């Protein structure tokens, strides 16, 4: 096998001449900039950025994003200056590269309760979903070459990938990428559990595969007989990480899991989905309670499909998923499907409000425009313009409303810390506890046992948690004062 990375792997037929030129230029530039650099596994560094760009191409991203993928490490790891990128590739690509570089600085240190803030922060500082997607591709390739990384670092990266990256990919409806990230990270994040799964699957795999193939062939025959045109029938084995997660909830009993193998039927339109479901149920007996209509009731991340679990007549069960081509693309690529499908039906964009509920919640989108391009522009994320993200000295992230003070921060950590706030160091500088915090500040609270809330604190707090505790303290105190004066009279 040749090691030469071919530019043709980054280009598709429907790209314009300008697109091809841009990608070619980025390719040549990145290869030159990384000349002489090697990765831990001994490969030329350029291979990493090339593979990152290839993942982006497979996700159907546009030429600018693919180019930014090729260039994503030049600012961080080579002599290249920002001005040079700006001159050669323009503001947009420079913006994307800077975003990816910024995201690279974010680290997850494994504190459960801050995970959600970190996920939000990840999206917030990336400013543009394309940045998030480039970072996903970068991380996926890094995971695939993780065996060459030092063991402790390997574990941290793998856990972070599952907790932050895969989880975000899922929220964005990017099921394929989520599965790929989880499976690449799983053996390093949870080696013992991974081995367990391998062991469980070892003897069953071949019979699973054989059975699902037979079910697929039978269904194909029936569909032809009933003159239902299908685009594809394919089978998949459940990703190992999600299988493990499910097993944990089912007493580790593999017989309680019904979707280890699934058949996916892709048809032309929604009516055909329901017709296929009818045919499936006329051939095989469905398990009661396992028929799910995610077309009428999509999942929160936008996933749409019909699901049913059948007794396969071979002594086992199989899940059958039925959906249209468009649903199929969205199930795999989620929000990236908008970049991928240039002829994406603009009327459908109206439904995006439903599909990407999570983003809507984050951004509080008032309306979604009909043109998918404008929709994406709007996703240039100022999602969080009313939130700020504050770091503890240990690097945990706390998510607070804009204009919060160190008092809010203190109470968000613990009521006891809040109640005894006497001072605060903001970015290592002694500061007033009534200061307004800014995005990205590192805050250390100074406690003194004789420090206590005063009514003035209420004017300088934004969070209801802080206000509640301050009021509690004040009430308790005035009650005590009354009791005291009563006792002395
Ligand atoms: Mn990289």
């Amino acid at each position: 096998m040749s090691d030469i990375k071919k530019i043709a792997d980054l280009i598709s037929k429907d790209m314009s001449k300008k697109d091809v030129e841009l990608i070619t230029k980025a390719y040549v530039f990145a290869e030159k900039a990384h000349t002489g650099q090697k990765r831990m596994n001994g490969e030329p560094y350029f291979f990493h950025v090339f593979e990152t760009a290839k993942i982006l191409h497979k996700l159907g991203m546009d030429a600018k994003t693919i180019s930014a993928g090729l260039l994503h490490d030049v600012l961080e790891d080579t002599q290249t200056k920002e001005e040079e990128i700006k001159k050669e590739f323009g503001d947009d690509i420079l913006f994307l590269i800077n975003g990816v570089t910024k995201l690279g600085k974010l680290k997850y240190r494994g504190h459960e309760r801050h995970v959600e803030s970190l996920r939000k922060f990840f999206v917030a500082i990336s400013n543009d979903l394309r940045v998030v997607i480039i970072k996903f591709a970068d991380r996926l390739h890094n995971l695939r070459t993780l065996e060459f990384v030092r063991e402790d670092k390997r574990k941290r990266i793998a856990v972070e990938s599952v907790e932050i990256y895969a989880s975000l990919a899922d929220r964005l409806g990017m099921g394929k990428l989520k599965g790929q990230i989880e499976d690449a990270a799983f053996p390093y994040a949870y080696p013992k559990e991974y081995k367990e799964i391998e062991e469980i699957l070892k003897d069953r795999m071949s019979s699973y595969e054989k059975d699902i193939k037979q079910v697929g062939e039978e269904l194909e025959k029936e569909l032809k007989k009933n003159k239902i045109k299908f685009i594809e029938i394919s089978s998949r084995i459940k990703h190992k990480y999600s299988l493990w997660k499910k097993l944990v909830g089912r007493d580790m009993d593999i017989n309680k899991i019904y979707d280890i193998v699934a058949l996916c039927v892709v048809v032309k339109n929604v009516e055909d989905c329901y017709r296929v479901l009818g045919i499936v149920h006329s051939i095989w007996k469905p398990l009661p309670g396992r028929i799910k209509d995610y077309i009428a009731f999509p999942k929160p991340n936008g996933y749409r499909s019909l699901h049913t679990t059948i007794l396969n007549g071979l002594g086992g069960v199989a899940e059958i998923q039925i959906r249209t081509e468009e649903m199929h693309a969205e199930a795999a690529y989620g929000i990236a499907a908008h970049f991928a499908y240039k002829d994406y039906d603009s009327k459908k964009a109206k439904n995006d409000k439903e599909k990407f509920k999570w983003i809507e919640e984050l951004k509080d989108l008032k309306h979604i425009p009909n043109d998918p391009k404008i929709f994406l522009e709007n996703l240039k994320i100022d999602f969080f313009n009313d939130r700020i993200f504050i770091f503890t000295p240990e690097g945990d992230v706390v998510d607070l409303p804009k204009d919060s003070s160190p008092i809010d921060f203190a109470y968000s950590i613990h009521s006891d810390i809040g109640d005894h706030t006497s001072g605060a160091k903001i970015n290592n500088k002694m500061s007033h506890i009534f200061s307004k915090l800014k995005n990205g500040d590192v805050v250390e609270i100074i406690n003194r046992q004789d420090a206590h809330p005063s009514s003035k604190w209420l004017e300088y707090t934004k969070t209801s948690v802080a206000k509640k505790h301050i009021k509690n303290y004040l009430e308790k105190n005035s009650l005590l004062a009354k009791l005291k004066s009563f006792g002395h009279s």
Side-chain angles (χ1 to χ4, degrees):
M1 211 179 74
S2 163
D3 265 347
I4 296 164
K5 305 288 170 183
K6 292 189 303 295
I7 201 161
D9 288 349
L10 304 177
I11 286 164
S12 49
K13 281 187 220 117
D14 63 340
M15 280 180 181
S16 70
K17 209 176 142 217
K18 237 176 90 196
D19 287 345
V20 176
E21 276 167 13
L22 177 65
I23 292 172
T24 309
K25 193 174 167 189
Y27 180 100
V28 173
F29 191 99
E31 194 177 31
K32 191 162 165 244
H34 289 293
T35 300
Q37 291 179 334
K38 291 239 188 303
R39 301 199 87 213
M40 298 245 221
N41 60 1
E43 283 179 356
Y45 198 93
F46 176 71
F47 283 16
H48 162 65
V49 298
F50 178 84
E51 290 298 324
T52 303
K54 214 163 95 184
I55 294 167
L56 291 167
H57 179 243
K58 278 195 188 140
L59 283 170
M61 303 302 286
D62 63 346
K64 262 188 195 166
T65 311
I66 294 170
S67 303
L70 282 165
L71 297 165
H72 82 268
D73 277 328
V74 295
L75 288 181
E76 181 87 348
D77 297 326
T78 77
Q79 301 298 316
T80 310
K81 297 269 173 298
E82 282 195 21
E83 298 77 64
E84 209 177 329
I85 296 290
K86 194 174 160 160
K87 200 178 118 235
E88 297 295 325
F89 297 99
D91 283 329
D92 225 19
I93 287 183
L94 175 63
F95 170 82
L96 293 176
I97 301 171
N98 271 330
V100 176
T101 308
K102 243 193 315 183
L103 277 186
K105 303 209 157 60
L106 201 70
K107 285 194 174 64
Y108 170 60
R109 291 177 178 80
H111 295 275
E112 250 336 293
R113 71 194 192 97
H114 297 298
V115 177
E116 187 61 15
S117 300
L118 200 58
R119 285 182 197 127
K120 286 185 189 166
F121 186 64
F122 189 99
V123 179
I125 62 167
S126 57
N127 279 305
D128 185 315
L129 277 175
R130 288 176 301 174
V131 172
V132 177
I133 294 168
I134 296 169
K135 192 66 202 163
F136 284 163
D138 172 44
R139 175 53 61 98
L140 182 57
H141 183 252
N142 280 333
L143 284 171
R144 286 174 175 166
T145 51
L146 204 57
E147 57 176 313
F148 301 99
V149 173
R150 220 176 54 220
E151 201 180 327
D152 55 332
K153 202 176 159 198
R154 197 158 72 190
K155 168 103 181 172
R156 187 193 66 73
I157 292 172
V159 173
E160 175 184 88
S161 301
V162 172
E163 294 295 335
I164 309 294
Y165 288 70
S167 155
L168 273 175
D170 187 35
R171 305 273 188 97
L172 298 172
M174 305 175 78
K176 199 166 180 169
L177 205 59
K178 168 193 176 261
Q180 287 173 338
I181 291 173
E182 283 180 344
D183 276 1
F186 189 20
Y188 304 108
Y190 309 105
K192 213 183 99 233
E193 291 80 357
Y194 179 76
K195 278 208 195 85
E196 240 173 285
I197 291 295
E198 290 266 270
E199 202 55 42
I200 290 173
L201 286 178
K202 205 175 66 190
D203 304 323
R204 298 163 207 258
M205 213 52 154
S206 62
S207 77
Y208 282 150
E209 276 163 358
K210 204 175 99 252
D211 290 358
I212 199 75
K213 196 167 160 251
Q214 200 171 324
V215 171
E217 281 163 6
E218 200 171 336
L219 182 60
E220 196 174 325
K221 242 190 307 178
E222 284 300 313
L223 293 184
K224 278 182 182 152
K225 212 163 78 190
N226 286 277
K227 297 200 169 54
I228 296 182
K229 283 212 185 82
F230 56 89
I231 291 149
E232 77 174 74
I233 297 181
S234 58
S235 63
R236 69 114 184 89
I237 307 277
K238 198 173 182 63
H239 283 288
K240 285 174 185 161
Y241 181 76
S242 52
L243 176 60
W244 172 63
K245 272 207 306 206
K246 215 163 194 175
L247 269 170
V248 171
R250 305 277 195 292
D251 317 311
M252 294 308 278
D253 182 356
I254 190 116
N255 297 314
K256 288 184 185 159
I257 296 185
Y258 302 118
D259 63 344
I260 299 169
V261 280
L263 206 64
C264 184
V265 187
V266 180
V267 292
K268 278 233 143 40
N269 52 47
V270 172
E271 295 84 81
D272 279 352
C273 291
Y274 291 101
R275 285 172 69 202
V276 172
L277 182 71
I279 289 169
V280 167
H281 286 176
S282 71
I283 314 174
W284 298 283
K285 214 178 226 346
L287 289 188
R290 305 242 354 134
I291 305 160
K292 288 171 196 150
D293 187 346
Y294 296 121
I295 293 178
F297 304 100
K299 286 190 183 180
N301 68 356
Y303 178 81
R304 290 180 300 159
S305 192
L306 298 175
H307 285 193
T308 183
T309 305
I310 51 127
L311 295 164
N312 64 10
L314 304 159
V317 294
E319 182 171 283
I320 296 183
Q321 307 174 347
I322 308 156
R323 49 187 177 247
T324 66
E325 223 172 346
E326 189 194 336
M327 294 172 195
H328 193 52
E330 282 176 4
Y333 303 123
I335 198 140
H338 297 260
F339 299 91
Y341 292 86
K342 298 220 169 59
D343 51 353
Y344 188 81
D345 189 345
S346 64
K347 276 175 272 164
K348 299 276 171 27
K350 270 189 250 171
N351 299 325
D352 286 337
K353 195 165 175 160
E354 273 304 304
K355 281 186 212 148
F356 299 110
K357 262 237 158 76
W358 183 66
I359 291 175
E360 190 212 345
E361 269 169 38
L362 295 181
K363 191 170 187 238
D364 194 20
L365 280 177
K366 291 291 176 285
H367 68 285
I368 299 226
N370 286 341
D371 181 350
K373 280 228 184 67
I374 297 175
F375 170 67
L376 288 167
E377 280 295 306
N378 276 311
L379 288 180
K380 283 210 161 201
I381 307 153
D382 48 0
F383 284 172
F384 298 102
N385 46 13
D386 54 345
R387 307 294 294 178
I388 52 172
F389 295 87
I390 306 301
F391 289 85
T392 69
E394 291 76 39
D396 288 324
V397 191
V398 178
D399 152 26
L400 293 169
K402 202 176 152 199
D403 294 337
S404 286
S405 66
I407 304 174
D408 289 300
F409 178 74
Y411 277 109
S412 79
I413 293 172
H414 196 279
S415 58
D416 222 36
I417 294 177
D419 277 345
H420 296 105
T421 305
S422 72
K425 269 190 193 165
I426 303 176
N427 304 322
N428 250 327
K429 256 174 61 193
M430 274 312 293
S431 310
H432 202 278
I433 59 169
F434 295 156
S435 315
K436 275 185 189 171
L437 296 176
K438 288 189 311 296
N439 217 352
D441 280 346
V442 178
V443 179
E444 185 184 347
I445 297 298
I446 293 159
N447 270 180
R448 242 180 31 220
Q449 276 320 299
D450 59 346
H452 293 297
S454 71
S455 55
K456 201 165 176 217
W457 283 22
L458 290 170
E459 291 168 44
Y460 294 94
T461 43
K462 288 278 170 195
T463 57
S464 49
V465 170
K467 286 187 194 298
K468 191 186 87 193
H469 285 297
I470 296 166
K471 280 181 194 152
N472 275 350
Y473 178 87
L474 295 175
E475 271 167 33
K476 220 166 65 190
N477 236 278
S478 68
L479 202 66
L480 273 176
K482 267 185 206 153
L483 283 173
K484 254 189 206 158
S485 65
F486 184 70
H488 281 290
S489 65

